[in-house]
Amino acid sequence: MYESHLEKSLESALINQLTSGISQWTYRPDIKTEDDLWRNFRKKLNQNNLAVLKGIEITDREMDAIKAYMCEQASSSYKAAMWLAGEHGIAQIPLVREDASLGEVMLMAINNREVAGGRSSYEVINQYTSYAGERQRRFDVTLLINGIPLIHVELKSRSHPYMDAFRQITKYCKEAKFRGLFSFVQMFVVSNESETRYIAANINGEMGEKFLTPWVDENNKPVNGCLDFAREALNIPMAHLMVGKYAVIDEANRRQVILRPYQIHAIRRVREATRKGQSGYVWHTTGSGKTLTSYTVTKNLLDIPAVDKAIFLIDRRDLDRQTSDDFMSYAKNDDIDVDRTGSTFELEEKLLQNTKTAIVTTVQKMQNIIRKYSGTALSKKDEAKKEKLKTKRLAFVVDECHRTVSPITKKEIDKFFGSTLKPNFWFGFTGTPIFAENKKAAVGNLARTTEELYGPVLHKYTIKEAIHDGSVLGFQIQTMGKGTETLQELAVNNNICPKEKLMDMSEVEIEQEVVRFCETRLSSLHDNDQHRENVIDYIVNKSSGKLNLGAGPGNSFSGILTCSSIREAQQYYKLFKKFISEGKVSESIRSKIPDFPKIAITYTVGENEEGDLANQGEMKLALEDYKKMFPEAPASLDDLSAYNADLNKRLARKSSRYRNRKEQLDLVIVVDRLLTGFDAPCMSTIFLDRPPMQPQHLIQAFSRTNRIFNKTKRYGQIVTLQFPALYTKKIDEALLLYSNGGTAEVSAPDWSTTKRKLKSAISELKKIAANKKAAEELTDIDQLKDFVRAYQKVDRLFTGAQVYDEYEEGDTKGLGMTIGELRDMAGFYANAIEKIREYEGGNDKPEVDPEPIDLDYDLEAVRLTEVNYTYLINLIQSFVPEDEGKAGAVISAEEEARVEKYIALYKKTNPVIGSILDQVWMELRMSPGNFLGKDLLVVVQNRISEIREDKLSKFSREWAVPIEEVRALADIWNGGVVPELNGRFDEYQGEEKLTKLRYKKMLRQAAENFFPSVIAPLSNY
């Protein structure tokens, strides 16, 4: 009761906050049910469409048609967002009038251009009851715009984490409680009063908690309190802007994205600058969504009267990159013209048109237009066009602003289009501004820093702030470079520096001398195959944790290896192929992903320079390899852009197709390609086999790795392969420059800190239960909770430890516990979770838990050590005799122990399939002749199918469900809620006499147990 009172008190305070002040929400206590909601919506439609309806209000039959139409539009969150975006920002409903003489009309439902005015109405409701399904659910607070629920807030008291509110929403989604008009919810807000987050809604429940976003003010100061959040983000007009102007539909991923607060603040600052006639730049750290921000800025600039055209400029080299693809994905449902043609004429025509438009085009096409009209002998027609072009007030938005537009190019564009009275607007976006500390070399009076080129910084959001907010990950930086003594020897042997001078030099100074020497000789002390072979062994056999190989095929991370030259990249590619073909990939790695690593190479292939012909030849061979890996992929020298685009997609794995292992790349070897502007959330690691770069280039390269992806990916992994001391110095300088002071919050803790935390957590767990036997003696609910908390903490820290070079899988001496010992307790842990669930579910008034438990936590360290099924099949297959002569071959005790070890490990994750493999292995040892020449994969699959069919048949007979229906459901079910089966009550012959209602309930419960516990293990291996 006390908890309920606290939540109701917070709910009342929130409603009071929303309904107080100027132009705020109207409280509607009368709207509590679905019928109430539809009545209110009908009233809004009648009020907002008086002219269209010609004074004749919507009839009951017409309202039924409207309901059917609306439910169809909201069959998914993506489709609902598409409809709400509308045409030119207006969401409409087609209605054929019941009176045929009135014809068909289009009813305005929501106008996103009428924010805080016009026909827009704003209402707040609470304790709405959803009766969908068996159980009714009450929603806390919901915000209606024109009668449609668009923002839903779920609240918990301070004694609960805000994640409990998020989990509650996810549960409601899975129960299909968001239905009817509630299917249109675009934004969820969760809060426990002191901590508040928001996220783009997905009524199917597919929302990653990593994307829960905290609010910050314009100076990036946290705004965590529920009422403070409401004051900042849920006021009018802000709430309408959040789901109208600051929401973007990502067509490629079929989802809606709601901007983060720093993106919104940047857009508003740009608008303010435009109104004042000013330009400037936005400093948002790489990986924080600059492309999406700059896209939305471009779109919103059309609302500024002074702007005739908003031009988003990209370099033509980016046409095969993600920027253009992202814009195409965002712009599909917006009034933005993405110009991807090769015709400058089309761009010219668009610029000459009098309509206000936003255009995405290349800087090269702009230069073509300038050259065309810069001649002296222009026709009268061209002179007229030139004058018209020069009168346009253009606003240029430039992502990656230093790479795209050089100072000289900007000067040329301004000279042609702008004037003193009517200057162009320029808004540059960059994650790595050029400051006085790293300014460009002087060229006449051209700009040397970002501020000189674009104007003052309008908004900034640095790495440190982004990491703090969870917008990007921090960096874990390690080295595999040569030690000081080796470099001293090299320096002496190569006459780089006298031995007596070296004695007084620091590590950094020695490495700087070596770098200078290499630069003057155009050579590298690391440019040799022995060094490269060491690097390849490190990447392939010692980076399992970094690349998440333990998660199995399709779930690992990807990486990049960058080196100094095309020649070095080519040599690396050859050595990788040799390393793999000679079977140097360790068994430990192959047991996780049998075909690891899948590699490719990319670099710029010229045509007329010295060495281009040789590079073309090497690239042709690499393309042939690529075509063998991916037969459907474009891999021709005639269309390298298509190859690069395909490579990008396979490395980034953004669409569902590339989550399939056979479509994936693990590692791409590059020189400079992909080190800027490439967005790949699944990429975890960059290996740098080159001397340190400039600060801005270091941060750009590092930022390929720190996109948010899943729970397992906690840092962007940086591995330097040369000059460890110098890299440390240069990285610290770069992070200091681009993190707004201080590097502690940017970099991961060192190994000693992580090891100390892990040892401490293991010690805490062992105090509760030293081993599996001691754990099984725990019975009290409080003991079980303590055990679960401690076990999760150890699991989490073990997972984090596995990315360090100092940690070797299986070698955990000195920690107090091994992964194997932790795994032994996994079964008891699962039972403890179920007992806690049962206890809390059966207790009407559970006490407030000071340390809430995440009952949905997915074990990571245990899961990351799973043995791959394909590898295990192949391992056993190696003992299947190919002919009668080999049928009597003896399997050594060592080989037998190895197979049994892997089977035992596999049985821990899938006991059902593991038992089948165990049986097959025993039969193979006893009677190898019975398996002569057989494909073991087929043998095992047949046994799985037999067992599966037997289980399905038994279920069908026991519950009187047609076997065809049970099979069909087993074939399509892939987890989640089990659909309802149509049992034949009249044919049911169970021992217990049941009513029809009781039969249906028990059938549902039986199915919900049968499919996850019996069918899932036989399907997922």
Side-chain angles (χ1 to χ4, degrees), residues 143 168 191 210 267 309 323 325 338 346 491 509 516 574 631 650 767 881 938 957 1014 1018 1020:
L143 307 183
Q168 186 166 314
S191 180
K210 284 269 188 181
I267 293 164
K309 308 278 182 183
T323 301
D325 288 338
V338 180
E346 289 184 23
E509 289 170 334
R516 277 193 287 269
K574 292 174 186 175
R650 293 183 190 279
K767 286 177 184 175
V938 174
R957 290 194 299 272
V1014 179
L1018 290 166
N1020 303 321

Side-chain angles (χ1 to χ4, degrees), residues 305-320:
V307 174
D308 294 320
K309 308 278 182 183
I311 313 291
F312 186 93
L313 283 180
I314 60 176
D315 188 279
R316 68 181 168 206
R317 291 169 295 182
D318 290 335
L319 285 176
D320 69 332

Side-chain angles (χ1 to χ4, degrees), residues 828-877:
F828 177 76
Y829 166 84
N831 292 335
I833 286 285
E834 289 308 313
K835 286 178 181 177
I836 295 169
R837 283 188 202 277
E838 186 178 338
Y839 170 80
E840 294 193 345
N843 193 338
D844 292 334
K845 299 176 184 177
E847 70 278 8
V848 177
D849 200 330
E851 293 183 73
I853 293 173
D854 182 357
L855 295 175
D856 297 315
Y857 175 81
D858 291 324
L859 292 176
E860 298 178 55
V862 172
R863 177 178 58 82
L864 289 175
T865 57
E866 292 178 7
V867 174
N868 177 263
Y869 171 79
T870 305
Y871 170 79
L872 193 47
I873 287 286
N874 291 338
L875 178 62
I876 301 173
Q877 180 74 52

Side-chain angles (χ1 to χ4, degrees), residues 606-624:
E607 294 183 3
N608 302 312
E609 300 292 328
E610 185 179 348
D612 283 349
L613 193 60
N615 289 341
Q616 289 172 15
E618 293 291 339
M619 180 56 77
K620 185 178 179 182
L621 294 174
L623 292 175
E624 290 172 2

Side-chain angles (χ1 to χ4, degrees), residues 286 674-678 680 683 700-707:
T286 304
L674 304 181
L675 298 189
T676 59
F678 179 63
M683 180 178 291
Q700 285 282 357
F702 286 12
S703 297
R704 299 314 102 210
T705 67
N706 72 334
R707 270 41 171 197

Side-chain angles (χ1 to χ4, degrees), residues 430-495:
T430 179
T432 50
I434 307 299
F435 301 111
E437 293 89 336
N438 58 328
K439 62 186 176 185
K440 294 185 175 182
V443 180
N445 64 348
L446 293 177
R448 300 174 66 186
T449 67
T450 308
E451 185 164 347
E452 289 174 3
L453 190 60
Y454 289 95
V457 61
L458 300 174
H459 191 260
K460 66 180 177 180
Y461 187 71
T462 69
I463 297 173
K464 185 168 71 175
E465 290 151 349
I467 291 170
H468 178 270
D469 295 343
S471 302
V472 297
L473 304 173
F475 298 116
Q476 187 169 66
I477 302 163
Q478 295 180 276
T479 184
M480 199 205 79
K482 293 181 182 293
T484 306
E485 287 184 16
T486 308
L487 279 173
Q488 284 180 335
E489 292 170 10
L490 288 169
V492 172
N493 295 339
N494 289 277
N495 297 317

Side-chain angles (χ1 to χ4, degrees), residues 112 115 145 235 237-247 268 300:
N112 290 313
V115 177
I145 300 180
N235 66 69
M238 193 61 180
H240 194 160
L241 291 171
M242 290 289 286
V243 294
K245 293 285 188 181
Y246 303 142
R268 297 172 78 176
N300 280 275

Side-chain angles (χ1 to χ4, degrees), residues 42-110:
R42 181 174 180 173
K43 183 178 179 182
K44 300 296 178 189
L45 289 177
N46 280 320
Q47 289 174 347
N48 290 333
N49 296 278
L50 284 172
V52 172
L53 293 169
K54 297 180 180 177
I56 302 172
E57 292 192 344
I58 297 165
T59 67
D60 290 346
R61 184 176 293 179
E62 288 171 349
M63 194 61 203
D64 288 340
I66 289 171
K67 284 182 181 180
Y69 174 82
M70 293 294 282
C71 290
E72 182 186 347
Q73 300 312 304
S75 56
S76 70
S77 290
Y78 165 76
K79 197 169 180 182
M82 290 265 290
W83 178 78
L84 285 163
E87 187 175 353
H88 307 302
I90 302 173
Q92 296 179 299
I93 302 170
L95 176 65
V96 177
R97 300 308 305 266
E98 189 175 351
D99 181 345
S101 67
L102 297 174
E104 183 177 355
V105 296
M106 297 297 290
L107 303 179
M108 188 283 291
I110 287 185

